[in-house]
């Protein structure tokens, strides 16, 4: 049985191709403000991306009409989204709250959430990682990490 | 009501507040990566400034590279004017880039403390070049306008302004070729890929056998190369150079300003400092306070004029 | 000058100077082995710190780190398919399949021996041939460098993978990213959206960490209980002297060293390009090219010999002309300048003990690599990477942040890296090949810059690109090596069909 119209459009490759076309077209807009010679290479690449994505789209739709199922991007979308969210929040936390606090919280939190539940192991790992980073970067090289924008400078 | 005791306390805190500067590390922001000419100057100055400020003062260099120094210059201009954030300042680059792109600072955003280095631009050709004198080069450029290529390090810097002013003074037309950085321009000259260049004298100094300096774009001959004539002597009144100094954010209070200016002057007078700078090939042109501010506003004017006459982007 | 070389030797053996090299090599291997940390980042953190050190101690540390990191990058490339440094991308092609087949230990041994050979060859080139090779660099003006970049870009066709459309999309994406920042001639902003942080372009490390390290981290967290792939018991380690006779890659080593040295002395191309080209060439001339990409040890050898062979040679133009051959050499040049050591012929005359001592340190760094890398890597690092997967994932996240943040000391780069990471994850899942992105980023803007400089020099006449012998040789080489085999294959294919 052929796929429904809806699922044909939500095939990952089709979505990606459409995404590339939209973004590349969006990036084409600022090239009009550039000198011709400055715009040449970026415009060529963007047009290349659009044309290639059209081919990709057609090829994927042809597969769809042939009844070929698209492989899903992931079998556990919750975990993937969760992982991405945690990584982004870690970066934001470093920026706003400070590197050392965020790191000391993030390592056990991420490892625990995703299935490593040994408290002793978590503690040891966190202490070793944070301690080593501090010893090498802060103590050894006087390299500053973000101290947190929330607390001012 | 003021009791003698509170008055005493006030007086104590007042003197303490004054005497205590600096009571935490003083940061010198460098708008370039560690290891560049400006960075090395900043580190050298920082080392001697620590001694001059005394009392175990600590002066640390902080590199905030990016956007041709603009991120660092902006950082300094926006810092609290409390004497704990200083910055290196490169002329004309720092002010030139306020002309050709949006910048959050201008010539008035800084307290000018002291300038240390002035490295004059030159007209330089490869040692194998057929041009023996500046006049020969300019004659060739006049004979076929645009045939003589000049290698520079990016548009909107002192190399570019030097080339521009040289064109104005001589009436000759050059083809300007902006490389990424002075070393690339120098290599292209040595390899014969461009005919000549306007790099600074300091950038020629380690290549005495490979480069021929035709003229120095300064008022007077350089003590490093007294054999090279100035462009002025040859009939072209052109001066351009790269300057490196130390600034603080605008609005720094007078006491701290004076303290820092005095300390930096003392740094300059230290023979060890002079020796170290000479070893690094940094020609010192010490200017303190108002002289430095005046030079900055003059450079600002030159950049504004060139941008108005021949915008480069 | 050879007497200067000998004269510099005793200083190198002063114990602090020698210890610096040893520490540097170890630190380099560690940094390279940590996904997210790169040699560029390590040396840029180190440079300001070395201001107070003796020059030979500082330079020894840097020489050691550079050599160590170029090999260390192979460790996660083999075990996790995360190249530890940009130059280790080509190592993943065969290294990771080898690890999956249970030959990870042998892959690492091939990597360490090849790295060391490449490093030694490069150090000799630096010691014995620096002045003549710098004359070769002078031959390469904008039009010649443009052709080198074209040569590199054309070799992308070997890296397209199974689906050429996806491969080309990757390549276009890479080249597009390379033009972000200020225009090479006029300085106008291109696609920076007013962000000053983007004006200098996208640093390769930021893109690489995002594209290559984030997707495996997501994998680690997505399927926490999977235990295949990384497993020290399956590494199949045997003592290195027993493994040595199995490595009969002399031709590949020779070719890779030559290519690495040659690409190193050309300004700007560096690192990953050498490894890619060496890999392509070794595969092209292999008797059984079909095994490549599926765990061919010679592929690891080809990539690793070349990425170490351009380390010292990249310093030839850096020391003699002030133009570094790789991104790491550029940061190292900063390390020299911090000590007031200005590049140029005068450097060799004024400070021969330091310059030639530095060269010796490169040689010893490369030799030490086998001794330190052999035992250290296979035994301890492989085991570290065998941590519980969620824990490993969370530690790599921290390392990625540190590695990217420390390059310029700003969070902006971290966010940028995360953006590339999201793109990388989609690309990974939909099987878009990543190497064309890397090569496109390295060479795209580089080709454009040099083309436009050449055209400016030629006052707009494109004939300037064909006016000298070096350019013509490069054009012919590109045609012979890159286009030739493709056309030949087409021709044979069409005859078969007919």
């Amino acid at each position: 049985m052929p796929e429904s119209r809806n699922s044909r459009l939500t095939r990952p490759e089709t979505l990606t191709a459409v995404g590339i076309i939209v973004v590349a077209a969006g990036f084409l807009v600022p090239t009009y403000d550039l000198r011709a010679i400055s715009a040449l290479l970026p415009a060529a690449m963007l047009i290349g991306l659009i044309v290639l994505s059209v081919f990709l789209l057609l090829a994927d739709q042809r597969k769809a009409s042939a009844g070929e199922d698209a492989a899903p991007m992931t079998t556990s979308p919750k975990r993937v989204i969760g992982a991405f969210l945690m990584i982004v929040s870690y970066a934001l936390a470093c920026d706003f709250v400070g590197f050392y606090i965020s790191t000391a919280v993030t390592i056990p939190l991420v490892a625990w959430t995703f299935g490593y539940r040994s408290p002793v192991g978590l503690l040891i790992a966190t202490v070793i990682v944070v301690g080593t980073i501090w010893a090498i970067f802060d103590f050894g090289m006087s390299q500053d990490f973000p101290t947190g924008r929330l607390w001012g400078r | 009501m003021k009791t003698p005791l509170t008055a005493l306390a006030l007086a104590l805190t007042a003197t303490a507040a004054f005497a205590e500067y600096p009571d935490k590390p003083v940061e010198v922001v460098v708008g370039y990566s560690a290891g560049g000419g400006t960075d090395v100057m900043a580190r050298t100055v920082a080392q001697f400034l620590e001694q001059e400020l005394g009392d175990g003062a600590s002066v640390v260099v902080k590199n905030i590279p990016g956007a041709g120094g603009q991120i660092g210059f902006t950082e300094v201009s926006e810092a609290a004017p409390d004497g704990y954030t200083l910055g290196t300042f490169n002329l004309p680059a720092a002010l030139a880039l306020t002309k050709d792109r949006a910048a959050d600072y201008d010539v008035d955003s800084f307290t000018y403390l002291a300038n240390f280095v002035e490295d004059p631009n030159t007209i330089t050709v490869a040692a194998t070049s057929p041009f023996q004198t500046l006049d020969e080069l300019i004659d060739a450029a006049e004979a076929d306008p645009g045939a003589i290529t000049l290698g520079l390090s990016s548009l909107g810097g002192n190399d570019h302004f030097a080339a521009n002013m040289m064109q104005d003074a001589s009436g000759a037309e050059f083809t300007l070729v902006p490389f990424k950085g002075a070393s690339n321009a120098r290599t292209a000259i040595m390899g014969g890929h461009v005919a000549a260049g306007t790099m600074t004298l300091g950038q020629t100094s380690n290549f005495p056998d490979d480069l021929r300096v035709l003229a120095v774009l300064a008022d007077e001959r350089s003590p490093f190369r007294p054999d090279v004539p100035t462009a002025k002597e040859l009939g072209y009144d052109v001066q351009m150079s790269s300057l490196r100094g130390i600034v603080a954010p605008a609005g720094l209070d007078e006491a701290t300003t004076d303290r820092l200016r005095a300390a930096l002057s003392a740094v300059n007078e230290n023979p060890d400092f002079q020796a170290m700078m000479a070893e690094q090939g940094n020609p010192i042109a010490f200017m303190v306070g108002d002289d430095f501010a005046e030079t900055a506003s003059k450079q600002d004017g030159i950049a504004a004029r060139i941008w108005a006459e021949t915008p480069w982007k | 000058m050879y007497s200067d070389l000998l004269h510099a030797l005793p200083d190198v053996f002063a114990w602090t100077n020698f210890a610096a090299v040893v520490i540097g090599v170890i630190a380099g291997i560690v940094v390279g082995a940590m996904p997210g940390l790169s040699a560029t980042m390590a040396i840029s953190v180190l440079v300001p710190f070395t201001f107070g050190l003796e020059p030979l101690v500082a330079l020894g540390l840097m020489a050691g780190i550079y050599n160590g990191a170029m090999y260390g990058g192979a460790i996660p490339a083999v075990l996790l398919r995360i190249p530890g440094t940009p130059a280790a991308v080509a190592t993943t092609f065969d290294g990771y399949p080898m690890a999956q087949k249970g030959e990870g230990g042998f892959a690492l041994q091939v990597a360490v021996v090849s790295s060391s050979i490449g490093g030694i060859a490069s150090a000799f080139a630096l010691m014995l041939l620096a002045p003549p090779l710098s004359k070769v660099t002078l031959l390469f003006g904008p039009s010649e460098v443009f052709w080198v970049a074209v040569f590199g870009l054309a070799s992308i066709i070997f890296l397209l993978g199974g689906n050429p459309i996806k491969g080309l999309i990757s390549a276009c994406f890479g080249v597009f990213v390379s033009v972000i920042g200020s225009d090479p001639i006029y300085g106008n902003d291109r696609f920076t959206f007013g962000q000053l942080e983007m004006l200098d372009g996208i640093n390769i490390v930021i893109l690489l960490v995002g594209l290559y390290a984030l997707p495996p981290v997501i994998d680690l967290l997505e399927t926490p209980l999977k235990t295949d792939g990384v497993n020290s018991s399956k590494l199949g380690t045997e003592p290195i002297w027993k493994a040595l006779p199995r490595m009969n890659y002399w031709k590949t080593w020779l070719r890779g060293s030559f290519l690495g040295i040659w690409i190193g002395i050309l300004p700007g191309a560096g690192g990953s390009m050498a490894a890619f080209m060496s890999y392509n060439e070794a595969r092209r001339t292999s008797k059984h090219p079909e095994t490549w990409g599926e765990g061919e040890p010679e592929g690891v050898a080809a990539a690793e010999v070349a990425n170490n062979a351009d380390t010292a040679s990249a310093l030839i133009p850096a020391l003699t002309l002030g133009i570094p051959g790789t991104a790491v050499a550029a940061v190292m040049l900063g390390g020299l300048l911090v000590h007031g050591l200005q590049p140029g012929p005068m450097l060799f005359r004024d400070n021969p003990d330091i310059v030639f001592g530095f060269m010796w340190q490169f040689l010893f760094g490369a030799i030490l690599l086998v001794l330190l890398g052999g035992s250290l890597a296979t035994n301890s690092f492989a085991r570290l990477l065998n941590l519980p997967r969620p824990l490993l994932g969370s530690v790599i996240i921290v390392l990625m942040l540190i590695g990217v943040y420390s390059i310029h000391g700003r969070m902006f780069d971290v966010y940028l890296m995360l953006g590339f990471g999201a793109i990388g994850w989609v690309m990974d899942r939909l099987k878009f090949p990543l190497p064309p992105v890397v090569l496109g980023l390295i060479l795209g803007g580089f080709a454009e810059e040099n083309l436009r400089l050449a055209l400016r020099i030629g006052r707009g006449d494109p004939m300037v690109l064909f006016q000298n012998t070096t350019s013509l040789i490069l054009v012919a080489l590109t045609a012979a090596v890159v286009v030739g085999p493709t056309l030949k294959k087409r021709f044979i294919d069409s005859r078969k069909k007919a």
Side-chain angles (χ1 to χ4, degrees):
Chain A
M1 199 185 121
E3 289 176 83
S4 72
R5 195 181 165 72
N6 195 28
S7 73
R8 273 188 70 157
L9 290 181
T10 54
R11 291 166 68 89
E13 284 199 3
T14 300
L15 279 180
T16 308
V18 171
I20 297 174
I21 293 170
V22 171
V23 173
F27 273 111
L28 266 179
V29 177
T31 57
Y32 286 105
D33 300 334
L34 295 171
R35 272 194 188 81
I37 185 107
S38 301
L40 190 63
L41 183 66
M45 289 301 120
L46 291 168
I47 292 167
L49 280 172
I50 293 173
V51 172
L52 289 164
S53 299
V54 170
F55 282 127
L56 188 68
L57 183 81
L58 293 177
D60 194 45
Q61 286 302 311
R62 209 170 294 143
K63 274 187 210 158
S65 33
E68 224 176 283
D69 276 342
M73 295 276 277
T74 166
T75 45
S76 42
K78 270 190 203 154
R79 282 179 159 271
V80 171
I81 292 169
F84 264 113
L85 282 180
M86 281 208 168
I87 296 172
V88 173
S89 354
Y90 170 55
L92 287 169
C94 283
D95 199 354
F96 287 94
V97 184
F99 172 78
Y100 285 103
I101 304 173
S102 314
T103 304
V105 173
T106 301
I107 292 177
L109 187 69
V110 170
W112 191 83
T113 315
F114 289 94
Y116 179 67
R117 300 281 160 91
S118 152
V120 182
L122 286 175
L123 186 72
I124 295 175
T126 311
V127 170
I128 291 179
V129 173
V130 177
T132 315
I133 292 170
W134 180 83
I136 294 177
F137 285 89
D138 200 300
F139 183 73
M141 301 273 152
S142 41
Q143 168 82 8
D144 294 328
F145 288 116
T147 49
R149 280 198 244 171
L150 281 185
W151 324 125
R153 303 181 133 266
Chain B
M1 193 191 102
K2 237 185 197 177
T3 65
L5 201 67
T6 49
L8 184 71
L10 270 175
L12 269 176
T13 46
T15 47
F18 179 74
E20 268 173 20
Y21 174 82
D23 64 356
K24 60 179 182 182
V26 176
E27 246 176 32
V28 180
V29 173
V30 176
Y32 307 95
S33 302
T38 308
D39 175 73
V40 174
M41 180 203 81
R43 286 176 198 282
T44 314
V45 171
Q47 189 185 331
F48 287 91
L49 184 60
E50 269 182 3
Q51 295 172 17
E52 295 303 336
L53 289 173
D55 274 345
S58 153
V59 181
V60 289
V61 171
K62 185 177 177 192
N63 300 90
I64 307 184
Q70 192 180 352
I71 298 179
F73 302 137
T74 309
E75 178 89 7
V76 177
S77 71
E78 288 173 352
D82 54 7
Y84 291 104
T85 307
L86 312 179
T88 52
F89 203 66
N90 299 61
L91 286 168
L95 294 172
L97 56 80
T98 64
K99 310 298 172 207
D100 66 4
R101 55 173 105 127
D104 292 334
Y105 65 87
D106 61 21
V107 63
D108 298 322
S109 306
F110 302 97
T111 304
Y112 293 87
L113 297 174
N115 183 71
F116 281 97
V117 176
E118 177 165 14
D119 195 0
N121 282 88
T122 64
I123 304 290
T124 297
V125 295
T128 51
S129 164
F131 305 112
Q132 299 292 334
T133 64
L134 182 60
D135 280 325
E136 287 177 27
L137 184 77
I138 285 172
D139 286 347
E142 277 171 344
D144 182 3
I148 298 295
T149 45
L150 281 189
L152 336 156
S153 67
S154 79
L155 296 180
N158 47 302
D159 283 15
H160 171 210
F161 293 168
N164 222 310
M165 292 162 89
M166 202 62 217
Q167 292 196 101
D168 283 352
S170 65
E173 191 189 318
F174 300 106
T175 297
L176 307 188
V177 187
F179 287 85
K180 227 173 220 164
S183 313
N184 282 312
R186 180 175 60 207
T187 308
I189 295 169
M190 283 162 52
H193 305 289
V194 291
T198 51
M199 71 186 98
T200 63
L201 191 62
Q203 281 149 0
T204 66
S205 61
N206 262 11
F207 297 85
D209 302 337
D210 305 287
L211 294 171
R212 182 184 307 132
V213 185
L214 301 182
V216 178
L217 308 185
D219 265 338
E220 287 163 19
R221 292 192 177 204
S222 160
F224 288 93
R225 289 296 297 275
D227 55 318
V228 177
T230 66
K232 204 174 174 181
E233 290 171 36
L234 300 170
Y236 309 98
D237 191 7
V238 175
Q239 286 95 36
M240 184 40 72
S241 59
S242 152
L243 295 104
R244 298 176 193 144
I246 306 278
V247 296
L252 184 66
D253 70 80
E254 217 154 288
T256 318
T257 306
D258 291 344
R259 175 95 196 270
L260 283 166
R261 282 178 180 165
L264 290 168
S265 301
V267 166
N268 177 55
E269 279 152 26
N270 189 328
D272 292 343
F273 172 76
Q274 293 277 348
M276 218 166 149
M277 293 290 276
E279 196 184 313
Q280 293 160 4
N282 274 322
I284 294 195
F286 190 72
M287 282 183 280
V288 72
D290 294 338
D291 289 346
F292 184 21
E294 210 171 282
T295 306
S297 82
K298 197 174 134 200
Q299 293 274 358
D300 191 48
I302 293 174
R305 184 174 55 77
I306 295 180
W307 173 245
E309 284 167 8
T310 47
W312 52 86
K313 76 178 194 192
Chain C
M1 75 169 256
Y2 298 122
S3 64
D4 283 337
L5 207 51
L6 288 178
H7 197 255
L9 198 53
D11 267 1
V12 177
F13 282 110
W15 79 270
T16 40
N17 298 344
F18 199 77
V21 182
V22 176
I23 294 170
V25 171
I26 296 174
I29 295 174
V30 174
V31 163
M34 298 285 177
L37 307 188
S38 60
T40 316
M41 166 256 158
I43 296 177
S44 38
V45 170
L46 190 70
V47 166
F49 173 74
T50 61
F51 184 66
L53 300 177
E54 283 292 309
L56 273 182
V57 175
L59 298 175
L61 272 172
M62 287 191 273
I65 290 180
Y66 198 0
N67 265 305
M70 285 299 123
Y71 158 63
I75 298 171
V78 167
L79 299 176
L80 294 169
R81 207 162 62 93
I82 305 177
T85 60
V89 170
T91 311
T92 60
F93 298 169
D94 282 291
Y96 186 64
M98 280 180 78
Q100 284 181 313
K101 287 197 290 188
E103 291 173 5
F106 184 54
L108 288 178
Q109 285 168 336
V110 171
V112 78
V113 174
S114 307
S115 292
S116 193
I117 289 173
I120 292 170
S122 195
F124 274 119
L126 173 63
M127 289 165 81
L128 305 176
L129 298 170
L133 284 178
S134 73
K135 295 280 179 290
V136 176
T137 308
L138 285 182
L139 285 177
F140 286 76
S143 55
E144 293 82 1
V145 174
F146 166 70
W147 286 114
V148 173
V150 168
F151 184 50
L153 281 170
S155 69
I156 285 184
I157 59 169
F158 294 125
L159 302 167
L160 291 181
N163 184 335
I165 292 182
K166 288 181 178 173
L168 286 172
I169 289 181
S170 296
C172 285
F173 172 61
V175 174
F176 177 72
V177 173
S178 78
V179 303
I180 295 176
S182 57
D183 177 87
I185 303 286
Y186 299 105
N188 302 54
D189 304 5
R190 291 196 291 188
F191 313 105
T192 62
F193 305 101
Q195 298 294 325
L196 286 180
E197 288 89 346
M198 286 168 77
L199 217 53
D200 297 330
I202 307 289
N203 187 304
I204 176 79
V205 175
I206 297 172
L207 176 108
L208 194 89
V209 170
L211 283 190
Y212 273 96
L214 199 67
V217 167
I218 302 283
D219 284 352
L220 288 173
L221 299 179
E222 186 187 353
T223 46
L225 296 175
K226 210 163 86 180
T227 45
D228 61 3
V230 191
N231 195 327
S232 63
S233 61
K234 278 205 227 155
L235 265 180
T237 34
E238 55 180 351
I240 199 155
W241 60 87
K242 281 193 188 158
L244 264 178
R246 287 166 65 196
M247 302 180 200
N248 189 11
Y249 312 127
W250 288 107
K251 264 192 194 159
T252 297
W253 281 336
L254 207 66
R255 192 190 304 109
S257 299
F258 177 76
L259 273 171
I261 292 169
W262 185 68
I263 291 171
I265 62 169
L266 299 180
S272 358
M273 182 172 160
F276 281 129
M277 307 232 335
S278 165
Y279 183 87
N280 281 338
E281 278 308 289
R283 178 170 65 179
R284 201 173 61 82
T285 51
S286 165
K287 286 197 189 84
H288 38 82
E290 67 285 349
T291 60
W292 290 61
E294 278 156 22
E296 168 62 51
E298 197 163 359
V300 176
E304 283 297 312
V305 73
N307 72 21
N308 273 66
D310 76 358
T311 49
S313 75
L315 283 157
I316 294 174
L319 292 173
T320 54
L321 300 166
I323 47 172
T326 63
V328 189
V331 194
M332 284 183 91
L333 187 57
L336 281 156
L337 292 171
V338 155
H339 290 97
L341 302 169
Q342 302 277 345
M346 293 302 279
L347 178 65
F348 291 74
R349 278 176 233 168
D350 293 348
N351 295 296
D353 284 0
I354 293 176
V355 180
F356 293 106
F358 183 42
M359 295 178 177
W360 281 112
Q361 288 177 320
F362 252 95
L363 181 65
F364 294 132
I367 295 171
L368 281 168
L369 202 51
V370 164
L371 305 175
L372 298 170
S375 54
L376 195 86
T378 34
N379 296 332
S380 34
F381 271 97
R383 244 159 235 150
L384 252 187
L385 297 174
N386 200 29
L387 287 170
R389 287 168 64 94
L391 194 59
L392 184 61
S394 62
V395 172
I396 296 177
I397 294 171
V398 174
L399 292 174
M400 285 163 64
L401 185 128
I402 294 178
V404 171
Y405 178 84
S406 302
I407 300 171
H408 298 122
R410 60 194 186 206
M411 282 303 293
F412 182 88
D413 293 347
V414 175
Y415 296 124
L416 210 55
M417 178 271 286
L418 293 179
F420 283 119
I423 295 172
W425 183 76
V426 173
M427 292 180 74
D428 186 52
R429 287 302 157 101
L430 295 179
K431 304 211 160 45
F432 283 85
L434 297 178
V437 186
V438 177
L439 218 54
L441 173 63
I442 296 172
L443 296 175
F446 186 58
E448 187 205 14
E449 179 191 335
N450 284 288
L451 173 63
R452 287 175 56 191
L453 284 173
L455 287 176
R456 231 177 137 93
I457 290 171
R459 290 197 273 171
D461 181 4
M463 284 316 288
V464 72
L465 297 172
F466 304 98
Q467 262 167 0
N468 60 55
T469 353
T470 323
S471 296
L472 292 175
I473 292 173
L474 285 163
V475 175
L477 255 176
T478 311
V481 173
V482 182
V483 188
T486 325
L487 287 181
K488 196 171 139 199
K489 189 168 169 285
R490 278 274 168 80
F491 183 65
I492 294 169
D493 286 355
S494 66
R495 295 254 319 246
K496 270 183 196 158
K497 271 179 198 159

